[in-house]
Amino acid sequence: MRKEPIYYYDEKKDKFVVEGFEVLADFPYLLSNPEIDYKTFMHHLDLLKNEDKKYVYHLNIGTKTLEKYIDRVIESIKKHPLRENLVIEILEESHSKVDFFIQKFYENGIRISIDDFGTESANLDRVIKSIDFIESIKIDRVVWKNFTEIVKGLVESEVLKKSNIKIIAEKVETEEEIKKLISVGIRYFQGWYFKDLKTIVS
């Protein structure tokens, strides 16, 4: 199990702190198979049982997997000692039942993040439809790098502010990119920029 940190930029202290982690598969190319995806998800759940409760943990799962195993997944999360710390990232794959999956997780008190915003069906329509059910949006690198005004519009959206939805920029690599994202209001980040923690966390 690999864990990629998710950082929050504390503007008052001018430093980055770890908000949580995205849990990653060792062999992600295998996850297109629903059976392997399900087994990997359940394995990660088991490994997380003894993790620190001060962090949140994002776990990915595909829609084809949820179509077969959503009830088992929900029951396992509900019994998990860190259930309040778990956030599910649904890998949409343009599936027709995404809205159903999101609502079912919400009805069972399970936190949801929209992954890869700006690609495929992970778009503004999806966010608006799910506004009451999600806790965060993860913006793909292609989107924040090329469409800064869209990102700024999201940050300034009264609807998102009212719902306290976090906006997370993925795959950030340079200090210039960090400064650009902070300037438009982004406060949550993932990426290679943070590989040397000593240079950014005091």
Side-chain angles (χ1 to χ4, degrees):
M1 178 180 74
R2 296 178 295 130
K3 295 187 298 182
E4 180 177 337
I6 300 169
Y7 290 90
Y8 169 70
Y9 174 62
D10 187 328
E11 196 169 10
K12 291 181 179 178
K13 296 180 180 179
D14 189 29
K15 74 173 186 176
F16 294 85
V17 294
V18 177
E19 161 87 1
F21 300 89
E22 179 176 356
V23 179
L24 302 169
D26 292 321
F27 305 102
Y29 61 89
L30 296 174
L31 300 185
S32 57
N33 180 307
E35 284 71 31
I36 294 176
D37 186 25
Y38 173 69
K39 289 177 182 177
T40 301
F41 182 89
M42 299 301 287
H43 179 60
H44 286 164
L45 270 186
D46 188 56
L47 292 176
L48 285 172
K49 285 181 179 176
N50 297 315
E51 291 289 333
D52 197 323
K53 291 186 177 182
K54 73 178 181 179
Y55 300 116
V56 295
Y57 300 91
H58 288 234
L59 294 98
N60 297 292
I61 193 163
T63 49
K64 292 176 183 176
T65 309
L66 291 175
E67 190 166 31
K68 296 184 69 172
Y69 298 110
I70 190 166
D71 291 329
R72 293 188 201 176
V73 167
I74 286 174
E75 286 308 306
S76 298
I77 294 172
K78 288 170 72 172
K79 295 174 184 176
H80 199 278
L82 286 181
R83 67 163 286 173
E84 300 298 327
N85 301 67
L86 302 178
V87 179
I88 306 304
E89 294 185 15
I90 299 177
L91 305 177
E92 298 197 37
E93 302 153 354
S94 301
H95 198 288
S96 60
K97 291 187 178 179
V98 172
D99 294 333
F100 169 75
F101 298 146
I102 289 173
Q103 185 160 349
K104 193 158 185 179
F105 277 122
Y106 175 78
E107 289 170 353
N108 283 275
I110 297 168
R111 301 158 74 182
I112 293 291
S113 180
I114 298 289
D115 195 21
D116 290 337
F117 177 86
T119 62
E120 296 285 336
S121 56
N123 52 35
L124 190 56
D125 286 344
R126 170 73 64 227
V127 171
I128 297 301
K129 283 181 184 178
S130 311
I131 199 75
D132 295 326
F133 309 146
I134 61 176
E135 72 105 49
S136 59
I137 299 167
K138 301 186 83 175
I139 303 180
D140 186 80
R141 177 180 176 82
V142 173
V143 176
W144 60 252
K145 195 168 179 63
N146 296 295
F147 304 101
T148 308
E149 289 305 311
I150 292 177
V151 175
K152 186 177 181 181
L154 276 176
V155 172
E156 295 176 352
S157 165
E158 291 300 323
V159 177
L160 298 192
K161 284 181 181 178
K162 186 176 180 181
S163 301
N164 293 316
I165 293 175
K166 300 172 184 174
I167 301 174
I168 305 169
E170 298 183 284
K171 301 175 185 175
V172 183
E173 297 178 357
T174 69
E175 185 173 0
E176 182 182 356
E177 290 171 351
I178 284 284
K179 289 179 177 178
K180 177 181 176 181
L181 288 164
I182 288 175
S183 73
V184 298
I186 297 292
R187 294 294 178 267
Y188 295 89
F189 305 90
Q190 279 181 265
W192 279 103
Y193 174 76
F194 300 99
K195 65 184 182 296
D196 183 6
L197 296 184
K198 293 179 181 178
T199 64
I200 57 166
V201 179
S202 57

